[in-house]
Amino acid sequence: AWLNDLHVLDCKDRVWTWSEVMHSDMWPGRRAWHTTCCVSDSLCVFMGGFVEGRAAGDAYVVDIERQSAYQITLSDARADHTACCRVSSDGSALIFVLGGTRDNFNYIRS
């Protein structure tokens, strides 16, 4: 079964403790082959992925502290990709999305 839960690993005291983040109705649906970038201490962006047999063209900005999220529609659907982010000292962030696929999922089904 595909999942849409989110767990946060707290490494502050070098103790591996998982705590599930409860979430609002506006939350990424179950998906696979997506990517995530954290752009601040509490904000993460989840992008794309494979949802119900197709590449997803959405992104969710998730606020871990407030346990809320809002959706952004992307101009390009994509799955099986990677991303990295650059956060500047002034708090602004850039996310670089690399590779992936839009519609060739034959290798997933085989």
Side-chain angles (χ1 to χ4, degrees), residues 1-87:
W2 291 19
L3 305 173
N4 71 335
D5 54 347
L6 171 66
H7 295 266
V8 178
L9 177 63
D10 184 357
C11 299
K12 179 181 178 184
D13 298 318
R14 296 184 181 172
V15 176
W16 292 80
T17 305
W18 289 98
S19 58
E20 184 173 0
V21 175
M22 302 311 290
H23 51 77
S24 65
D25 292 338
M26 179 57 70
W27 198 254
R30 295 183 289 178
R31 63 190 60 221
W33 303 294
H34 56 286
T35 192
T36 304
C37 284
C38 292
V39 295
S40 75
D41 288 345
S42 65
L43 293 178
C44 294
V45 180
F46 294 79
M47 295 167 279
F50 186 71
V51 179
E52 298 177 7
R54 60 177 177 75
D58 60 0
Y60 288 83
V61 178
V62 176
D63 188 324
I64 303 299
E65 290 178 6
R66 293 184 179 149
Q67 298 183 1
S68 63
Y70 63 90
Q71 184 178 10
I72 300 170
T73 301
L74 303 176
S75 61
D76 188 20
R78 151 182 328 252
D80 201 21
H81 56 287
T82 190
C84 60
C85 59
R86 176 185 171 270
V87 180

